[in-house]
Amino acid sequence: MSISPKSQFPFVCLVIILTVSACAPAATQAAAPTATTVPPTEPPIPPPTNTPSPTPLPGTQVIPLSSMKWSIPWLPLDTARRPSVSYLGFNTKKPPFDNPTVRRAFAAATDRSVIVALIEKYQPEREAREAYTLTPPETLGRDLTGDVGIPYDPQRAKELLVEAGYTDVASFPTVTIFARASGAGEYPGLPLLIIEAVADSWREVLGIEVIVAATNERVSDRMASEPPDAFRFGAWAADYNDPDNFIGELFNPDGDYGGEYNYGQFSDPTFEALVNQAAGSNRPEARQLLYIQAEQLLVEDQAAIIPLYFAVYNIP
């Protein structure tokens, strides 16, 4: 180990003093210096035994944080397996869906298994599975199923509707849900089948009247001309493999698209702060936690959307 010049200087002075003392007469020789006592090094203080351990993240790990980049995007994109999501949106500025409790009731009344069965039957998309969050697991790095989101629970759905003030379902207004009558792919009529399945689930569980409005308009055009109560948005496939491409670009008014795709006009200051903070960070562990908190607000606390299913696309 090298020694710095400052630590050498006291050693040289000590040598000079000792040399002069040795040459002086015995009667005038100074008393021998006493050795300096060095206190023993104190052992490190052990941490308190009652220190709480970090709260584990919800869900299960799909991709380790160590493999994610400190940048956006944080994962490479396989264009043959682009992650995608399809979801239902609510018109959050118009009754009855301006009430988060009503939206949670409808989320709990949505049977996603029927929708996934339709996808598997007609096979327009690959690897379809039920979705409870907006961001696909292979993009977020964690599968939040079972921990985040609102699962199908008919009894809970009825209870939530009562909590929202609708003790008599006959007083609940007729709900209009919009879907394109056809779509691209091997089975163009599938979007309408999906919406019909959702409408049937709501009718059966909640006992309300649902009208399916099916045209060939784009969602953006219909929301501008005659906004329905609810609509299907699908599917959004990754342009780049990062949560910002989903939760940020679809719902953040400060994102690249300025909220262009936020057709339901969902707005929440806490949500927006979380997403902006995540986009401004380069630490994967911090970003992942922030996006999970934003997902909890979007699909659970506020229930601004109902995620339906994840799939993958081959788009070179």
Side-chain angles (χ1 to χ4, degrees):
M1 174 169 112
S2 61
I3 302 175
S4 66
K6 282 189 177 181
S7 61
Q8 291 177 13
F9 184 74
F11 175 74
V12 173
C13 292
L14 180 61
V15 171
I16 295 172
I17 293 169
L18 290 177
T19 304
V20 173
S21 299
C23 298
T28 60
Q29 190 172 15
T34 58
T36 303
T37 303
V38 179
T41 304
E42 295 183 4
I45 301 174
T49 55
N50 60 348
T51 301
S53 58
T55 303
L57 292 177
T60 57
Q61 179 180 277
V62 174
I63 299 169
L65 288 169
S66 58
S67 65
M68 297 179 179
K69 294 181 179 178
W70 284 45
S71 62
I72 298 177
W74 67 3
L75 289 170
L77 178 66
D78 180 356
T79 57
R81 298 188 71 258
R82 289 181 186 264
S84 74
V85 66
S86 178
Y87 64 87
L88 287 174
F90 293 111
N91 189 339
T92 63
K93 301 302 181 184
K94 174 187 174 183
F97 294 118
D98 57 344
N99 185 337
T101 305
V102 171
R103 299 195 295 260
R104 288 194 291 271
F106 276 71
T110 304
D111 187 355
R112 297 167 178 82
S113 66
V114 177
I115 297 167
V116 172
L118 286 170
I119 302 295
E120 291 175 342
K121 179 179 180 180
Y122 298 107
Q123 299 181 340
E125 296 157 299
R126 295 182 294 143
E127 301 178 34
R129 66 270 193 205
E130 297 179 23
Y132 297 90
T133 59
L134 177 71
T135 311
E138 54 268 55
T139 298
L140 182 62
R142 296 189 73 83
D143 186 349
L144 304 180
T145 303
D147 288 335
V148 177
I150 300 176
Y152 179 56
D153 187 338
Q155 183 58 40
R156 182 58 180 152
K158 296 172 185 177
E159 293 170 353
L160 284 166
L161 209 56
V162 172
E163 288 178 22
Y166 295 96
T167 54
D168 180 8
V169 293
S171 66
F172 199 88
T174 299
V175 173
T176 301
I177 181 170
F178 170 75
R180 298 193 70 176
S182 62
E186 297 178 4
Y187 198 85
L190 185 62
L192 183 55
L193 290 180
I194 290 173
I195 291 305
E196 288 285 6
V198 171
D200 286 343
S201 186
W202 290 354
R203 294 182 187 115
E204 179 181 348
V205 174
L206 299 174
I208 62 171
E209 185 178 350
V210 183
I211 296 174
V212 174
T215 72
N216 283 324
E217 294 176 273
R218 295 182 302 177
V219 175
S220 57
D221 294 336
R222 182 54 182 262
M223 296 304 294
S225 63
E226 189 179 352
D229 300 303
F231 57 91
R232 175 178 176 259
F233 188 102
W236 180 270
D239 297 310
Y240 54 92
N241 205 10
D242 191 280
D244 186 67
N245 188 218
F246 287 86
I247 201 166
E249 293 193 355
L250 288 172
F251 290 100
N252 184 11
D254 298 324
D256 292 343
Y257 292 101
E260 176 185 351
Y261 297 102
N262 185 9
Y263 299 132
Q265 301 182 64
F266 168 65
S267 177
D268 183 272
T270 303
F271 170 84
E272 292 163 14
L274 288 168
V275 176
N276 280 325
Q277 188 177 350
S281 174
N282 61 1
R283 294 172 51 228
E285 67 276 13
R287 296 188 69 222
Q288 188 178 66
L289 176 59
L290 290 166
Y291 281 123
I292 289 173
Q293 293 172 336
E295 287 278 3
Q296 289 171 324
L297 272 171
L298 179 68
V299 303
E300 190 171 319
D301 297 345
Q302 293 295 324
I305 64 169
I306 304 176
L308 296 178
Y309 63 90
F310 296 127
V312 296
Y313 281 87
N314 182 3
I315 306 176

